[in-house]
Amino acid sequence: MKKLQQLHFGKRYTKLPEHFYSKIRPTPLPAPYLVAFNRDAAGLIDLHEEEALRDDFAEHFSGNRLPPHAEPLAMLYAGHQFGHFVPQLGDGRAILLGELDNQAGERWEIQLKGSGVTPYSRRGDGRAVLRSCIREYLCSEAMHHLGVPSSRALCIIGSDEPVYRESAETAAVLTRLSPSHVRFGSFEVFFYRGQFDHIRVLADFVIDHHYPEYAKAENKYKLFLGEVTRRTAQLMAHWQAVGFCHGVMNTDNMSILGLTLDYGPYGFMETFDPGHICNHSDPQGRYAYDQQPQVGLWNLSCLAYAMSKLVSETDADTILASYAPHYYEQYVALMGAKLGLFKPGTEDLPLIYSWLELLQQNQLDYSNSFRMLGEFDAHEGALNQKLRDHFADRASFDAWAKAYRMRLLQDQQDDGQRKQHMDAHNPKYILRNYLAQHAIELAETERDYSEIANLLEILRRPFDEQVGMERYAEPAPLSARHLLVSCSS
Ligand code: AMP
Ligand code: MG
């Protein structure tokens, strides 16, 4: 494990042509202090957790003190925002410090989010508010521990510097880690500009560093696009399975590695509603829960279009046509496991869908209902009274339970085994908005950061029972059901 000064930042992105980024130093953050520190993420960069206790830790991760020889930069990209192409975006408030290698042979890019204006800030102030840093910090870790590919979060550094959104808030800097921060929009920007050579350079860069198995293949761009397609399809299936809504699935927020990236007005679904919209700034529901899988494909078609000088139209069509099979394969595997099916297949889709319909009709909590179903008694004649009582419409439950029992009989697992399997796929603890909001309010009003640490600790083990923490598994109280989150962050 290393001390801070032993971290040696690489600078591979600076080897790319200068049109790909702007070198920029973070804007100093006045009187920074540590708000949250995640030892799991410190482990990813071999950083000794006691380094967080240093007096100068906040100086380093606020961007006030740069690592020696670092050449921080903001990355250029474009993107389709809510369906409309915006020719130039870029990191308007994030700065890449460089990348770090760990003992396990992984390489992590380290980005400071909220570290001041860059040439891509447009009219923004380059800052992130404490509220949004806490939300990204908690959710990216929660997703990772749920088994969903995601960027990670190392720490939050706060400051009393005021930042104005709908009202006055305070600034913070989030340090996030990802193997890459390249987005679909990183390719789109050069297509729009007609700089087709740059698209090839960027594709080669991403392939060499992240898809090295294709580097020597003759049809490497096709293989690369195919793999991004497969990963994105799988990611969408993961989001559906955990009930996650991203909220702003613009192509500038789509990771070239198929990771969840750029947490804004996201939300975990509570009461099951396929049309659920988590982002108050998306009244049309373009990015509603049930739209996400097809938006994933739409976004990939934007990427394929941007890569059209590298991958023929016929090949791109074939690749895009592989999206649905990849998606359904992963969806059935994940949802089947949630229902405790031993070897689920597409023939199980009607059972999965009818269960979801039951949840919708009875207005039940998505995650808790799956967890509860682990108690199902498959013996002949069992009434499953306790479970049944959760459904306002008992008859519809009985009908579904009959079909479910028939399906379970095929697997010949005993109830105990099945419950264990289901508990490992149905989280007891998810990051409900009201839980995050409570941690935020304590932080904002009392400078009490203990609830952030407490939540992180719970979300690190979402599938465990965790005695004494049961109240964190409760759906939002009525008073917090209509908590609104918007793009403002
Ligand atoms: P988002 O939807 O949050 O991913 O942001 C879209 C674009 O706006 C990205 O290019 C961001 O870097 C930029 N952006 C968002 N908030 C700010 C801000 N406060 N200051 C500067 N740029 C911002
Ligand atoms: Mg973004």
Side-chain angles (χ1 to χ4, degrees):
M1 285 297 158
K2 294 177 181 165
K3 293 190 180 302
L4 266 180
Q5 60 272 24
Q6 292 171 313
L7 296 180
H8 188 81
F9 284 80
K11 24 183 155 179
R12 62 182 177 194
Y13 219 73
T14 64
K15 307 284 189 299
L16 286 166
E18 287 202 10
H19 329 273
F20 285 59
Y21 54 84
S22 293
K23 287 189 184 165
I24 178 93
R25 298 175 75 85
T27 307
L29 186 70
Y33 45 82
L34 182 63
V35 167
F37 174 78
N38 174 17
R39 62 179 192 278
D40 291 333
L44 296 176
I45 52 170
D46 298 342
L47 178 66
H48 202 294
E49 60 183 274
E50 283 184 6
E51 289 293 279
L53 304 172
R54 291 165 61 134
D55 288 342
D56 62 353
F57 185 84
E59 285 292 319
H60 283 94
F61 288 96
S62 55
N64 291 2
R65 196 174 303 170
L66 288 176
H69 318 299
E71 289 186 77
L73 58 87
M75 293 161 73
L76 169 72
Y77 47 83
H80 278 84
Q81 298 195 312
F82 291 89
H84 303 284
F85 186 65
V86 182
Q88 193 194 294
L89 293 162
D91 293 329
R93 53 167 168 176
I95 290 178
L96 180 70
L97 283 182
E99 66 279 352
L100 293 171
D101 292 331
N102 70 13
Q103 277 177 344
E106 298 161 345
R107 183 168 287 178
W108 291 90
E109 286 185 359
I110 316 296
Q111 221 187 40
L112 302 179
K113 183 168 175 179
S115 51
V117 288
T118 76
Y120 315 122
S121 298
R122 298 177 293 164
R123 269 167 302 199
D125 57 12
R127 288 300 185 198
V129 295
L130 178 61
R131 162 178 59 87
S132 71
C133 291
I134 295 173
R135 283 176 52 85
E136 175 155 353
Y137 177 84
L138 289 174
C139 196
S140 57
E141 289 301 303
M143 292 288 267
H144 167 73
H145 292 291
L146 286 168
V148 184
S150 176
S151 61
R152 304 291 302 274
L154 176 69
C155 61
I156 302 173
I157 305 297
S159 165
D160 291 350
E161 181 175 77
V163 174
Y164 301 94
R165 297 293 181 258
E166 278 91 356
S167 58
E169 302 187 43
T170 57
V173 172
L174 173 82
T175 300
R176 67 177 175 190
L177 278 57
S178 175
S180 169
H181 289 86
V182 171
R183 300 131 195 282
F184 291 8
S186 311
F187 290 83
E188 289 179 281
V189 67
F190 296 125
F191 186 76
Y192 172 80
R193 295 178 176 187
Q195 294 171 323
F196 305 124
D197 288 350
H198 291 358
I199 298 176
R200 184 184 298 273
V201 170
L202 184 61
D204 286 342
F205 176 86
V206 174
I207 292 170
D208 287 347
H209 289 288
H210 305 287
Y211 297 93
E213 62 276 24
Y214 303 145
K216 295 214 159 62
E218 210 176 298
N219 53 350
K220 62 177 174 177
Y221 303 117
K222 178 181 159 190
L223 292 171
F224 164 57
L225 184 63
E227 180 60 12
V228 180
T229 300
R230 189 181 70 88
R231 291 192 192 187
T232 304
Q234 290 185 335
L235 182 68
M236 292 308 114
H238 272 288
W239 287 3
Q240 293 302 104
V242 297
F244 176 78
C245 301
H246 183 280
V248 197
M249 285 180 68
N250 295 335
T251 53
D252 50 294
N253 291 338
M254 297 294 291
S255 151
I256 203 69
L257 302 185
L259 310 167
T260 314
L261 200 64
D262 279 18
Y263 291 83
Y266 67 80
F268 278 91
M269 179 127 63
E270 297 204 40
T271 305
F272 184 67
D273 167 18
H276 176 69
I277 303 168
C278 64
N279 177 5
H280 186 54
S281 321
D282 178 22
Q284 308 287 330
R286 180 180 172 86
Y287 299 138
Y289 170 79
D290 61 357
Q291 299 301 304
Q292 297 183 123
Q294 67 182 50
V295 173
L297 177 60
W298 192 88
N299 288 343
L300 280 161
S301 73
C302 294
L303 176 65
Y305 188 57
M307 288 181 62
S308 53
K309 299 279 184 216
L310 302 178
V311 179
S312 73
E313 196 177 330
T314 325
D315 284 345
D317 284 347
T318 311
I319 289 168
L320 294 175
S322 75
Y323 179 87
H326 286 313
Y327 170 77
Y328 280 108
E329 189 188 350
Q330 185 74 25
Y331 181 79
V332 166
L334 292 169
M335 297 302 281
K338 286 173 79 67
L339 285 183
L341 307 183
F342 186 48
K343 272 191 184 157
T346 44
E347 65 282 4
D348 292 314
L349 279 170
L351 187 72
I352 296 169
Y353 291 147
S354 55
W355 166 250
L356 294 178
E357 257 167 56
L358 207 57
L359 299 189
Q360 186 184 5
Q361 280 159 9
N362 290 275
Q363 299 189 29
L364 290 174
D365 186 85
Y366 178 75
S367 297
N368 289 355
S369 300
F370 275 99
R371 184 82 179 185
M372 212 165 56
L373 189 63
E375 308 283 344
F376 189 81
D377 179 346
H379 291 96
E380 188 163 11
L383 279 181
N384 284 296
Q385 200 61 45
K386 205 171 138 216
L387 186 59
R388 187 175 185 265
D389 283 347
H390 284 92
F391 294 78
D393 178 359
R394 308 284 202 283
S396 65
F397 172 77
D398 291 341
W400 185 83
K402 200 170 155 195
Y404 184 46
R405 181 172 172 272
M406 296 303 287
R407 174 62 182 84
L408 292 180
L409 289 180
Q410 286 175 21
D411 282 351
Q412 298 185 327
Q413 286 187 83
D414 69 47
D415 285 351
Q417 269 177 326
R418 192 189 66 250
K419 178 172 172 8
Q420 234 183 7
H421 182 57
M422 289 175 76
D423 282 356
H425 290 90
N426 292 315
K428 173 143 182 167
Y429 302 100
I430 53 165
L431 182 60
R432 296 172 189 273
N433 263 343
Y434 82 97
L435 296 173
Q437 190 57 29
H438 179 54
I440 290 166
E441 279 164 19
L442 277 176
E444 284 178 342
T445 58
E446 318 270 335
R447 293 177 184 267
D448 176 351
Y449 309 122
S450 60
E451 192 58 13
I452 306 171
N454 191 26
L455 273 179
L456 181 63
E457 208 45 45
I458 294 168
L459 296 168
R460 287 176 76 220
R461 298 184 291 127
F463 301 104
D464 293 358
E465 281 296 325
Q466 305 192 37
V467 180
M469 295 300 165
E470 291 79 4
R471 69 196 157 92
Y472 287 93
E474 297 282 321
L478 278 181
S479 57
R481 289 270 159 100
H482 300 289
L483 203 68
L484 297 175
V485 285
S486 71
C487 275
S488 124
S489 59

